[in-house]
């Protein structure tokens, strides 16, 4: 069974914002778009950029290192 680890409170994220958290040694990016919440790896798979330092537009995060874009709702590059 999966283990629950509290990393943030709902009220900590306003719509259109992101936050990096660490859980069991893993950097995780939390994002809120409207009333939906997303979680993904915080590091870009290409250049290892810190995605929490990138730009969030809708559900698309732009990597601050090389401008690659990721849709956090689908995982699509």
């Amino acid at each position: 069974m999966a283990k629950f680890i509290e990393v943030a409170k709902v009220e900590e994220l306003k719509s259109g914002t992101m936050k990096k958290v660490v859980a069991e040694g893993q950097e995780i990016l939390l994002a809120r778009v409207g009333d939906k919440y997303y979680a993904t790896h915080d590091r870009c798979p290409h250049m290892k950029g810190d995605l929490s330092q990138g730009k969030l537009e809708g559900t698309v995060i732009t990597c601050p290192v090389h401008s690659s874009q990721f849709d956090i709702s689908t995982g699509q590059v």
Side-chain angles (χ1 to χ4, degrees), residues 1-2 4 9 14 17-18 22 24-26 33-34 40 42 45-46 49 55 57-58 63-64 74-75 77:
M1 179 158 34
F4 178 80
K9 302 273 186 205
K14 295 190 184 319
T17 64
M18 331 183 259
V22 178
E24 296 192 341
Q26 298 292 314
V33 179
T40 188
D42 184 56
H46 180 239
K55 186 175 183 180
E57 295 178 284
C63 176
T74 65
V77 178

Side-chain angles (χ1 to χ4, degrees), residues 14-30:
K14 295 190 184 319
S15 183
T17 64
M18 331 183 259
K19 175 181 181 172
K20 176 171 41 175
V21 297
V22 178
E24 296 192 341
Q26 298 292 314
E27 293 181 335
I28 300 166
L29 175 70
L30 301 178

Side-chain angles (χ1 to χ4, degrees), residues 9-76:
K9 302 273 186 205
V10 170
E11 58 271 8
E12 290 181 45
L13 282 176
K14 295 190 184 319
S15 183
T17 64
M18 331 183 259
K19 175 181 181 172
K20 176 171 41 175
V21 297
V22 178
E24 296 192 341
Q26 298 292 314
E27 293 181 335
I28 300 166
L29 175 70
L30 301 178
R32 179 178 175 187
V33 179
D35 290 330
K36 294 189 177 188
Y37 295 83
Y38 301 93
T40 188
H41 291 283
D42 184 56
R43 295 292 169 173
C44 170
H46 180 239
M47 300 284 292
K48 305 301 182 215
D50 184 342
L51 293 177
S52 68
Q53 299 300 310
K55 186 175 183 180
L56 177 65
E57 295 178 284
T59 58
V60 176
I61 297 174
T62 302
C63 176
V65 175
H66 68 296
S67 299
S68 187
Q69 295 184 313
F70 306 89
D71 188 325
I72 57 174
S73 67
T74 65
Q76 186 174 10

